[in-house]
Amino acid sequence: MAYAIIRTGGKQFRVEPGATLRVPTIAKEPGTQVEFEALLVAGDDGVRTGAPVVEGLRVVGTIVGHGRGEKIIVFKKKRRKQYKRKKGHRQGYTAVKIDSIG
């Protein structure tokens, strides 16, 4: 089974052909194809690593949609000072279906 490690949005993800994953928001419309740089590729012929990316090899995916993750609560408090702040946050994401590696 072939897989690759890609970098997008300052994070790294392990992807396989046909898999759908959530990456930090990409400002493109659903249905658009996007290319990612491959940092590492593993397959039947062995493992290839890049310095920093594998030359001549791209991972192609299609944007499925956009959304927002679950809400997290940011709470600050200083004891005995009557100081409290409560704030919610939802991180945006883009769902991408990986079409091919290489």
Side-chain angles (χ1 to χ4, degrees):
M1 176 184 304
Y3 70 90
I5 306 293
I6 63 169
R7 176 176 56 202
T8 179
K11 298 179 180 181
Q12 297 178 2
F13 299 92
R14 182 184 192 269
V15 298
E16 298 172 358
T20 302
L21 70 145
R22 291 179 173 185
V23 298
T25 303
I26 299 173
K28 293 189 178 181
E29 295 297 319
T32 307
Q33 284 201 339
V34 291
E35 289 187 353
F36 302 104
E37 297 175 333
L39 304 176
L40 178 140
V41 178
D44 298 333
D45 56 343
V47 176
R48 291 172 43 196
T49 59
V53 296
V54 179
E55 294 297 325
L57 196 122
R58 296 284 182 192
V59 176
V60 179
T62 304
I63 295 179
V64 177
H66 302 285
R68 295 175 74 193
E70 292 185 17
K71 179 179 274 193
I72 63 166
I73 303 299
V74 180
F75 186 76
K76 300 178 182 180
K77 180 179 178 177
K78 296 189 180 181
R79 64 183 192 157
R80 299 188 305 266
K81 304 297 181 192
Q82 304 300 315
Y83 174 83
K84 292 188 290 186
R85 297 292 182 266
K86 182 179 177 183
K87 196 175 211 179
H89 174 76
R90 291 180 69 189
Q91 185 69 40
Y93 67 85
T94 298
V96 177
K97 184 175 190 304
I98 302 300
D99 298 327
S100 65
I101 296 175

